[in-house]
Amino acid sequence: MQKIFLPTILLVLAYGFWISPDFKEISAGVAIFLFGMLSLEEGFKTFSGGALEKVLQKSTDKVYKSIGFGILSTTIMQSSSLVSILTISFLSAGLIGLSEGIGIIFGANIGTTTGAWLVAGLGLKVKISAYAMPMLVFGVIFIFQKSKALKGIGYILTGLGFLFLGIHYMKDGFEAFKNTLDLSTYAVSGFKGLFIFTGIGILATVVMQSSHATLVLIITALSVGQISYDNALALAIGANVGTTITAIIASMSSNIQGKRLAGAHLIFNLVTGLIAIIFIQQLMQSVDWISTKVGIASDDYTLKLAVFHTIFNLIGVLIMIPFIGKLVTVLEKVFKSEPAKKGKSKDTVRYLNESVLALPSTSMAAIIQESRHLYENAFEIITRGLNLKKANVISSMKLEEVIQIPYSDKPINIDEYYNRKIKGIYGEIIDFSTKAQAQMPHDFIEELYKIKLANRDIVESVKGIKHLQKNLIKYQSSPNEKIKKQYDKIRIGLAELLRNINIIATTDEEDVIILLLSKAKIHAQRYDILANGTLDTLIRNQLITNEMATSLMNDSTYAYNISQNLIQMAEVILIDRTGHIKNLEEEIHINEEEIENLVDKKEES
Amino acid sequence: MKVKKFIAKAKEYLGLHEFDIKGKRKSVTILVEKLRAKDEELRQNKGKNRDEKELHEELEIIDLHIKKAEEILTKLNKKKAIEEK
């Protein structure tokens, strides 16, 4: 399709340029405008660093807040397409839920109407090209600076400069075009015209991938009388529907949630467009009434178009809000996520996809989510390796009772589990991290390195449990009560650690997290059976054989290493990265000396 | 004026140089409050169906963290005082 589409567009444009210099000017205006939008997007991406998650979490926990976030972000960035792409990226990374994502998209549809107001109210009434030149000069100077912030400001300034310049060329082009060809003679009235021009609006937006650019083109053409007011309204409706193509394209590289959101975007804009077409007469009357009330002249069609654009998007949002829940249900049915793989199938990544690469913070969030997914799988393998039931480990059942209920009467094949549930995902995380790293600032790369180490810790824990499993099973039913007791202690210790890590992963109470992490570090010292004299006592009193002693010593080391790996992993990927503990980093965690002191105190008491 | 110096001046003018310290100070203050509340909660639990050894251990840990957090807070306050001078 693309093989035919692109050459056709290029040929049509080339022919147009050949026969009409005015058409060339209009097209150049559109191209400059679109380039300005790209530059503006680049600038805003520079500023959407680590604080983005905090803003998102605080401003999208309720639907009305996410609508507000959508309105505000689109008004500032002047691109509903960029907001849609970012929202798909947030959703794919698991930073927001589908309802919140839909809220943002609804808000973006209202926010995008500010563009029409700006162009119709300011762009055509003030000679904005005069502002474009200094903006471009200052912008380019800033772009050449090393500072990230100045670069960002530079891109935003050049973006705005090109937007203004684009509008200027479009306006000039249409004015000159009128002398050679009066497009208004092609105006079609009635419902026929409504459908034809809605179709043209959709097509123009699909080609330009920006409803904003289409709308500016409509407004400038309308301002010089090249299109009729009725047809301009239809074109605006078409632009609204056509803009969904950008989200649909972006969702192709996202996960199932991103596809659902693109579906919601399409449904919303289709419904809104349909309502606008059906009630066009009533809407036009409302526009006239509002225009009179706010003092817009009856022949100021460009501002009246802005009123129309706002009203029909606002009505669409108001109508659709009560159906967000229903919409989510329908989309979840249409775009079904793959059923949870049971049995022998290989587990795959859930959050890593091209769409989250849109921003460093969404890439980071997706990598963290995927690492948590990897830990979930490791948790399952470790509990089974310890011959414990997962549900019992995370319950409030006494640990002494938990170890009495075995998962199975035979050892599990940890290698097979590792290949199915760990190896592939771990490889993908490392591969994706390398890709994401290329677009990340320095402070993110440092954090990413820690996450990669945490993932290695998870893998090492699983490998450790493989070594441990053999003797755990062997001595679980040993007639020697002493060795059995020692291995039970290892199982209790690791079960306690897994339980505490589960609490750490699910709570946001910082005092609880700090307490459990410190406790885990102190309790890990119990595996040092050489230092605490356990091994000496058992050997000296001939309570265990030499073979048992060697096994116990080796397995205690494995248990210690597993504990250390899991604690380090929990500190990096399970603690909320926007929370207070993360803000203080290593300073608040207890060090080795403090652990030793606490262990001594514990032994004394 | 070099870019870095210019940014530093702009940050100072806008009062943004304190932002980092404030963020950390706020985090420590909140943590100290939470840890103190936990300490009180644990002390109230004494003798109430809880293993004495475990309770004692938890109190020791919380106590240590309160001290650590207060030390961080003192350092940050000193840093702020020096910058204000």
Side-chain angles (χ1 to χ4, degrees):
Chain A
M1 180 75 180
Q2 208 183 352
K3 276 182 188 168
I4 310 164
F5 192 64
L6 185 65
T8 313
I9 294 278
L10 292 176
L11 276 174
V12 169
L13 283 173
Y15 180 69
F17 297 160
W18 184 47
I19 59 163
S20 165
D22 304 326
F23 176 68
K24 192 162 65 186
E25 196 166 355
I26 296 168
S27 305
V30 176
I32 293 169
F33 186 88
L34 288 173
F35 187 75
M37 289 196 73
L38 285 178
S39 184
L40 209 58
E41 286 175 11
E42 194 61 40
F44 283 114
K45 277 185 185 176
T46 318
F47 289 106
S48 50
L52 189 72
E53 283 165 60
K54 260 189 195 172
V55 176
L56 261 179
Q57 274 170 3
K58 283 188 181 160
S59 55
T60 58
D61 57 343
K62 298 227 163 49
V63 173
Y64 75 89
K65 281 190 189 174
S66 37
I67 292 175
F69 180 82
I71 295 174
L72 197 72
S73 52
T74 314
T75 304
I76 296 170
M77 297 198 247
Q78 282 298 302
S79 167
S80 63
S81 300
L82 175 64
V83 174
S84 309
I85 292 168
L86 294 182
T87 311
I88 287 174
S89 169
F90 299 150
L91 193 63
S92 297
L95 285 173
I96 53 168
L98 186 57
S99 305
E100 289 78 36
I102 293 174
I104 297 177
I105 294 291
F106 284 5
N109 271 275
I110 299 175
T112 196
T113 62
T114 55
W117 283 100
L118 284 174
V119 178
L122 267 177
L124 299 177
K125 298 197 167 52
V126 183
K127 201 172 182 295
I128 53 169
S129 59
Y131 297 101
M133 302 304 172
M135 276 181 175
L136 287 172
V137 175
F138 288 128
V140 170
I141 291 172
F142 281 140
I143 287 174
F144 283 121
Q145 302 307 315
K146 272 185 187 168
S147 154
K148 196 180 135 193
L150 287 181
K151 256 188 206 301
I153 293 170
Y155 277 114
I156 292 173
L157 277 179
T158 38
L160 287 172
F162 280 126
L163 288 190
F164 289 176
L165 204 63
I167 294 170
H168 166 77
Y169 277 114
M170 278 189 245
K171 200 179 149 194
D172 273 10
F174 272 119
E175 268 168 6
F177 204 42
K178 205 173 179 185
N179 301 327
T180 51
L181 178 69
D182 190 359
L183 286 175
S184 61
T185 53
Y186 293 97
V188 185
S189 56
F191 267 101
K192 192 181 162 193
L194 194 60
F195 282 110
I196 291 173
F197 279 86
T198 302
I200 295 172
I202 294 174
L203 194 72
T205 313
V206 169
V207 172
M208 291 192 276
Q209 288 207 16
S210 165
S211 62
H212 200 35
T214 312
L215 212 65
V216 173
L217 204 58
I218 299 166
I219 293 170
T220 44
L222 182 66
S223 71
V224 293
Q226 279 282 44
I227 48 170
S228 71
Y229 173 57
D230 292 7
N231 292 160
L233 299 186
L235 284 167
I237 297 169
N240 239 44
V241 178
T243 193
T244 54
I245 193 75
T246 320
I248 292 169
I249 291 170
S251 75
M252 282 174 182
S253 62
S254 77
N255 61 9
I256 195 81
Q257 287 284 72
K259 289 184 175 68
R260 285 173 183 155
L261 188 70
H265 197 191
L266 180 67
I267 291 171
F268 170 76
N269 286 35
L270 278 178
V271 169
T272 315
L274 215 61
I275 291 170
I277 289 173
I278 295 167
F279 298 102
I280 189 78
Q281 290 306 324
Q282 289 80 351
L283 277 170
M284 281 168 76
Q285 281 165 10
S286 313
V287 170
D288 288 341
W289 184 79
I290 292 169
S291 301
T292 320
K293 289 281 169 199
V294 295
I296 295 170
S298 60
D299 59 347
D300 194 342
Y301 293 116
T302 52
L303 273 179
K304 279 169 87 172
L305 178 68
V307 176
F308 172 78
H309 196 221
T310 308
I311 289 180
F312 96 82
N313 271 297
L314 207 60
I315 290 174
V317 172
L318 290 174
I319 289 174
M320 292 297 282
I321 283 176
F323 300 107
I324 288 182
K326 265 253 176 328
L327 196 58
V328 170
T329 318
V330 170
L331 289 164
E332 279 171 352
K333 269 187 191 164
V334 176
F335 299 97
K336 280 183 187 153
S337 40
E338 283 179 42
K341 287 172 180 170
K342 284 187 176 173
K344 304 281 177 192
S345 56
K346 201 171 178 181
D347 197 9
T348 50
V349 289
R350 288 180 192 160
Y351 304 96
L352 306 182
N353 52 67
E354 294 289 321
S355 74
V356 299
L357 286 169
L359 288 174
S361 53
T362 46
S363 311
M364 187 67 91
I367 294 167
I368 293 174
Q369 296 277 44
E370 205 59 64
S371 306
R372 287 180 184 168
H373 172 208
L374 184 73
Y375 172 67
E376 273 172 37
N377 288 353
F379 181 89
E380 192 184 329
I381 301 171
I382 295 170
T383 48
R384 288 182 184 178
L386 292 169
N387 204 11
L388 303 171
K389 283 189 176 169
K390 194 177 150 188
N392 293 342
V393 172
I394 56 173
S395 71
S396 55
M397 188 191 281
K398 277 190 170 179
L399 292 167
E400 288 76 9
E401 288 170 26
V402 170
I403 62 157
Q404 299 307 326
I405 308 165
Y407 168 73
S408 166
D409 50 5
K410 53 182 182 207
I412 64 155
N413 184 348
I414 291 184
D415 277 335
E416 188 254 333
Y417 267 91
Y418 175 80
N419 284 325
R420 268 196 304 118
K421 291 185 164 265
I422 301 289
K423 201 177 170 188
I425 298 174
Y426 177 58
E428 292 265 3
I429 291 173
I430 299 301
D431 185 46
F432 189 84
S433 302
T434 314
K435 244 190 256 175
Q437 196 172 324
Q439 299 162 19
M440 282 181 176
H442 185 70
D443 49 337
F444 272 65
I445 292 173
E446 229 170 83
E447 196 185 340
L448 189 62
Y449 177 67
K450 286 183 189 168
I451 296 169
K452 280 198 230 173
L453 289 183
N455 275 285
R456 195 186 66 187
D457 288 335
I458 296 173
V459 173
E460 290 300 320
S461 315
V462 175
K463 286 182 178 171
I465 213 72
K466 182 190 158 191
H467 296 297
L468 200 55
Q469 189 195 31
K470 199 181 97 192
N471 289 330
L472 278 179
I473 301 276
K474 183 179 170 185
Y475 294 119
Q476 204 176 330
S477 50
S478 169
N480 184 329
E481 279 301 315
K482 297 292 173 192
I483 192 75
K484 186 176 178 292
K485 198 178 162 192
Q486 289 304 317
Y487 276 92
D488 278 352
K489 270 188 183 173
I490 291 177
R491 291 174 75 218
I492 288 177
L494 289 174
E496 184 197 23
L497 178 65
L498 291 172
R499 179 176 282 180
N500 287 343
I501 287 178
N502 185 57
I503 298 171
I504 289 168
T506 48
T507 186
D508 50 7
E509 293 297 332
E510 278 115 347
D511 50 321
V512 176
I513 295 171
I514 285 182
L515 180 65
L516 292 180
L517 274 175
S518 301
K519 253 175 115 171
K521 285 177 186 171
I522 296 163
H523 289 191
Q525 302 304 314
R526 72 178 123 198
Y527 303 117
D528 197 353
I529 53 169
L530 266 180
N532 64 29
T534 309
L535 199 63
D536 269 357
T537 317
L538 290 169
I539 295 171
R540 204 183 314 121
N541 299 324
Q542 293 183 326
L543 297 170
I544 57 171
T545 63
N546 287 347
E547 187 206 348
M548 286 174 183
T550 315
S551 299
L552 186 60
M553 203 165 68
N554 289 338
D555 292 334
S556 296
T557 309
Y558 286 130
Y560 177 78
N561 290 339
I562 292 168
S563 300
Q564 291 299 331
N565 286 330
L566 292 180
I567 294 165
Q568 283 166 27
M569 172 282 305
E571 279 180 348
V572 177
I573 62 169
L574 297 184
I575 297 175
D576 176 16
R577 61 190 284 261
T578 58
H580 300 300
I581 299 180
K582 221 38 175 200
N583 203 6
L584 297 171
E585 296 192 353
E586 279 88 21
E587 283 179 80
I588 199 70
H589 297 306
I590 53 172
N591 55 40
E592 279 182 24
E593 198 187 328
E594 287 161 340
I595 293 170
E596 262 179 45
N597 288 339
L598 285 168
V599 171
D600 290 344
K601 275 187 187 174
K602 196 183 168 192
E603 280 167 6
E604 279 166 24
S605 68
Chain B
M1 194 185 288
K2 283 187 177 173
V3 179
K4 268 189 181 175
K5 214 174 171 186
F6 170 76
I7 294 170
K9 281 264 174 204
K11 269 183 167 180
E12 200 182 321
Y13 179 72
L14 296 168
L16 294 174
H17 64 297
E18 261 199 21
F19 192 73
D20 185 39
I21 303 175
K22 258 191 191 168
K24 247 185 175 177
R25 195 152 14 115
K26 196 179 162 195
S27 291
V28 190
T29 315
I30 291 170
L31 265 183
V32 171
E33 277 170 23
K34 285 191 173 181
L35 289 167
R36 284 201 181 121
K38 187 80 189 169
D39 185 77
E40 201 160 323
E41 184 196 319
L42 289 173
R43 285 182 199 284
Q44 278 170 358
N45 274 342
K46 259 189 176 176
K48 280 186 199 170
N49 244 349
R50 285 234 25 201
D51 180 44
E52 278 298 313
K53 261 190 178 178
E54 197 188 341
L55 197 64
H56 183 72
E57 183 191 17
E58 288 184 1
L59 279 168
E60 290 275 1
I61 295 170
I62 295 288
D63 189 45
L64 176 70
H65 278 293
I66 292 174
K67 276 182 196 157
K68 275 176 84 83
E70 282 173 344
E71 271 171 31
I72 301 171
L73 200 58
T74 317
K75 264 189 215 168
L76 291 172
N77 285 337
K78 268 186 192 168
K79 199 175 167 186
K80 195 197 164 202
I82 291 167
E83 278 178 1
E84 273 176 354
K85 275 179 192 175

